[in-house]
Amino acid sequence: MKFRLSSLQQSIAKALALTTCLSLGITASAQEQAEKVEKGFETITVTSQKRVENLNEVPVAVTVLREDQINSAFSANIEGLQALVPSVSFRKGNTTRNSAITIRGIGTISFSVAAEPSVSTVVDGVVLGRSGQAFVDLYDLERIEVLRGPQGTLFGKNASAGVVNMTSKRPSEDFEGVFETTLMQDSEYRLKGRVSGALSDNANGSLTVLKSQFDGYINNVYNNQTTNGYDKEGLRAMLDIEASGDTDILFIFETVSSNDSCCADLELTPSGRHDSQASPNSTGTGDLDLNQRQIDHDFETRTIDDHTAFSIQVDRPLGNHDFTSITAYRSWNNTEFREGDFTSTAGDLPFPVFGVPFQLHDIGPQEWDQVSQEFRIASPLGGDFDYQAGFFWWEQSSERSFSRDASCQNNNGQFPAAIGDYLSNILGVVNPSETDINAFIEAEGLSCNANDIISATAFMETEFDNWAVFADAKYHINDDLRLLFGIRYTDDEVSFSHNRSSDDQYSRTGVGVRGFDTDFDNSVSESNTSSKLGAQYDINDDSMVYATFSQGYKGPAFNVFYNMSNTDSLPIGPETSDAYELGYKYATNDLIINLAAFRTNIDGFQANNPEDLDGVFITRLTNAGSVTTEGFEVDFMWQATENFLLTGGLSSVDAVVDEFRCPVGLNPCDGRSGADLPFSPDLKYSLTGEYVMEMDGMDIFFNASYVYTDDIFAGAPGTTAVTNPEAFLPDYSIINGSIAFSFDDDAYRVSLIAKNLTDEKFVTTYSGDNFRYQIPRDADRHFGIQLRAKF
């Protein structure tokens, strides 16, 4: 997609580019003048250890994105924010349920409804069953904490790679409100309103509403409409009651709906399936058309999401201890519409596949319901022995139906075989001969060509039951040295059922549609004990070091998907991890530095392995063996002058497969030991500067950020850029910027926004089939404006 910048847009671009140079110049000036800093950091608190603690005193590698950082990024979802946390990568799928987060190269990318993520997502103390529940939108957040490495002791299963912990803003005592509208290029807008204040002497409440819409940035030449956009709306209500006996009760209700025309795969290398305006300008493998912004699809890839959540958190003293209870219910309905043949001309011709393009269209609604309960008791701080202990119970059930309409397939004798089964099983013909089969086909006028559309529907149910007890403690040997302990016992049970039936009278096989019916079910139970040991030493009042050994655990799974067969009904063993981490933290009034060196060994790594199934590229979940990730990370905040703040981070990660296990029955298998893990750039770093120019009656905020991401291998674990060169994605760097004008003590703010100032073209996800990719919105330069009013 090509477009010219208007004179106004060119002026904004020049101004924001000048902002970046200005920020760098101010940094140098600060070093030369060594001015006395009058303005310091406010204390940054986190709940990464399920207590409110100072970030710089927590012996965990954790990155915090505060409210002002989140707002300054002008990102609608977590995909945009992941650039600010170098250890985090985001794998974008066709739907939110198929998208995934990886930390330090570790994450589970799976289409199975009976598998869970390696990175746990927690919202206001509630563990989400699928990370996709948090990918819909970001709003009303006080902070996001990214805990890197296994967090099995306090956060339990599915935290074998880390935790993304999101905390919403609590209602205020004083009445206040904010209205915010963000207008971006190509008719994209986001509206948000929030009111908060006292409802009575002992109760505060808040209400947040949002509405956002975007037609998209990809042009479909089939109907000349844009796609890869969104339409969202929702609200969050919170009620904070100070009851008798110093008891605090927090009620949270949330409902969010979205209808997203997202996310269609782009053809960046020639597919060979069609020749149209949407064909890429590419010579083939290794030559990605990063300017491609067109598709030619006759079926729209779309996701419909409906979320409902309710939770009650009770905090009260129990003697000299603190007691916490969190009760939660969440419901998530997700419906996927997917264009699987990626053309508008497929399935039209009366000729057999694969000589002509085939049709493949999917519709898959799914409903998740989860209930959870957590009890915790925590000792008072300041003694020789600080501890907390708790009980956790969690249950999630899901129901999914998945229908596929695809061209009939007869490249390996499937058509006469299906008719033979029909004659034998339905009409009672004993051992029908080839003559019998051909005579019946001719008499009924049957065929098996691209324009003969075959469908089948699978019904899948899963249930996860989990309970755990845990304890975490810190023993103070003296004022400077502390020993760290933690343990968690987990009991897991996973069960599923799968019933697939053909909608075709003769049970003919289609492309990606197996002709046989299924009636599978199975269950598996596992238990695990995870521990943590470590030490923490205060070097002086400003710095400390820590060393920890921690374990993570991810529960068992099944490879439950549309075309599963009998071999997929066997359980996939749990994923366990052992992590070693050495950290250093330094904090003064104007400088915060966090360093961490780590090595994590994971056994039983649950991962997808690619294969061709009936002419369709799929990924099969398997226990892929053992992997290792190691490296170092650094992040910092520097208040260079009273008006200039510099923040940044760097991550150097080497994540590799130690021992690859090929799935049973898969031949050939491209997997091999020594290969890089997918979505794990060796190097990633970011730098953000903000300068405040104070004037009479107005403040001007200049903000600029630079993010570099090394090249990424986006294939399956065990494959390499040699065996799967299509999955090699080049490195890229982007510069974002904004200028904000603040009036009346920030009661009113107008922000000019620029995304990807240098118009860097890049790709973030390889989807398969040797030609399918995902290009995000931020891979194109675009501009916007935000208006915010507080009262």
Side-chain angles (χ1 to χ4, degrees), residues 119-131:
V119 177
S120 183
T121 306
V122 181
V123 177
D124 295 321
V126 179
V127 178
L128 306 186
R130 281 270 186 166
S131 300

Side-chain angles (χ1 to χ4, degrees), residues 325-540:
S325 168
I326 301 178
T327 307
Y329 166 79
R330 299 187 76 95
S331 174
W332 180 28
N333 293 328
N334 175 281
T335 302
E336 167 189 12
F337 301 84
R338 177 178 176 269
E339 167 65 272
D341 56 67
F342 315 106
T343 74
S344 64
T345 58
D348 293 338
L349 300 176
F351 301 104
V353 299
F354 292 94
V356 295
F358 61 85
Q359 175 182 303
L360 192 152
H361 296 162
D362 297 333
I363 300 177
Q366 180 164 351
E367 178 179 347
W368 278 272
D369 290 287
Q370 74 171 63
V371 180
S372 62
Q373 175 64 60
E374 181 170 1
F375 298 114
R376 294 197 308 268
I377 187 168
S379 70
L381 296 173
D384 292 338
F385 191 57
D386 302 331
Y387 62 88
Q388 55 180 319
F391 169 81
F392 178 76
W393 171 76
W394 183 82
E395 181 182 273
Q396 182 188 61
S397 60
S398 70
E399 296 181 357
R400 177 170 172 82
S401 67
F402 191 96
S403 298
R404 172 167 290 171
D405 296 327
S407 297
C408 192
Q409 184 176 5
N410 187 31
N411 63 314
N412 197 28
Q414 296 99 323
F415 178 37
I419 299 303
D421 289 339
Y422 179 80
L423 291 175
S424 176
N425 300 328
I426 304 300
L427 300 185
V429 178
V430 179
N431 297 324
S433 65
E434 182 178 346
T435 301
D436 295 331
I437 293 172
N438 291 334
F440 182 82
I441 290 175
E442 183 177 356
E444 295 294 321
L446 300 178
S447 60
C448 188
N449 294 316
N451 63 343
D452 291 311
I453 306 303
I454 307 302
S455 70
T457 300
F459 297 92
M460 297 160 270
E461 294 185 357
T462 60
E463 186 168 324
F464 297 85
D465 293 286
N466 168 258
W467 65 268
V469 290
F470 60 91
D472 188 79
K474 183 183 297 184
Y475 179 70
H476 299 253
I477 295 178
N478 54 45
D479 290 342
D480 299 323
L481 180 62
R482 292 170 288 284
L483 298 182
L484 311 173
F485 311 91
I487 191 168
R488 188 183 190 102
Y489 174 82
T490 299
D491 185 269
D492 253 335
E493 183 175 349
V494 183
S495 60
F496 84 93
S497 65
H498 183 282
N499 302 94
R500 185 182 63 241
S501 60
S502 175
D503 299 324
D504 182 66
Q505 178 182 352
Y506 307 102
S507 296
R508 287 173 291 182
T509 297
V511 179
V513 180
R514 288 181 165 176
F516 63 87
D517 295 347
T518 67
D519 185 11
F520 303 141
D521 64 83
N522 204 348
S523 64
V524 61
S525 298
E526 292 282 351
S527 61
N528 171 267
T529 301
S530 300
S531 62
K532 180 182 75 175
L533 295 172
Q536 177 181 355
Y537 179 72
D538 293 339
I539 300 173
N540 51 43

Side-chain angles (χ1 to χ4, degrees), residues 159-179:
S160 55
V163 175
V164 177
N165 186 28
M166 304 182 186
T167 303
S168 303
K169 295 177 63 175
R170 284 211 173 197
S172 59
E173 292 185 6
D174 298 326
F175 178 77
E176 60 184 25
V178 61
F179 176 77

Side-chain angles (χ1 to χ4, degrees), residues 100-270:
I101 296 173
T102 65
I103 295 179
R104 293 176 173 174
I106 306 300
T108 301
I109 302 165
S110 174
F111 297 99
S112 172
V113 297
E116 298 173 278
S118 299
V119 177
S120 183
T121 306
V122 181
V123 177
D124 295 321
V126 179
V127 178
L128 306 186
R130 281 270 186 166
S131 300
Q133 292 174 266
F135 295 161
V136 175
D137 218 330
L138 293 176
Y139 64 101
D140 216 17
L141 291 176
E142 181 179 287
R143 65 182 180 274
I144 298 176
E145 304 167 22
V146 180
L147 287 67
R148 310 187 295 272
Q151 308 294 326
T153 302
L154 284 175
F155 287 92
K157 69 168 187 169
N158 306 330
S160 55
V163 175
V164 177
N165 186 28
M166 304 182 186
T167 303
S168 303
K169 295 177 63 175
R170 284 211 173 197
S172 59
E173 292 185 6
D174 298 326
F175 178 77
E176 60 184 25
V178 61
F179 176 77
E180 182 179 282
T181 178
T182 306
L183 307 175
M184 303 297 291
Q185 212 170 338
D186 299 322
S187 302
E188 180 182 11
Y189 72 85
R190 299 192 292 271
L191 304 174
K192 183 182 73 173
R194 182 177 189 267
V195 291
S196 178
L199 301 177
S200 67
D201 292 340
N202 65 337
N204 303 323
S206 65
L207 177 66
T208 303
V209 295
L210 66 93
K211 171 66 178 178
S212 57
Q213 192 170 18
F214 178 40
D215 290 338
Y217 58 99
I218 304 299
N219 180 50
N220 188 351
V221 301
Y222 171 73
N223 54 18
N224 199 31
Q225 294 182 358
T226 55
T227 188
N228 276 36
Y230 57 79
D231 187 356
K232 308 176 190 293
E233 58 189 14
L235 66 85
R236 174 183 289 142
M238 303 178 72
L239 178 63
D240 195 354
I241 300 175
E242 185 178 337
S244 60
D246 295 327
T247 299
D248 185 83
I249 305 174
L250 177 65
F251 297 88
I252 303 177
F253 172 78
E254 179 181 37
T255 177
V256 180
S257 298
S258 66
N259 189 340
D260 301 347
S261 57
C262 185
C263 301
D265 286 320
L266 288 164
E267 184 179 332
L268 301 191
T269 59

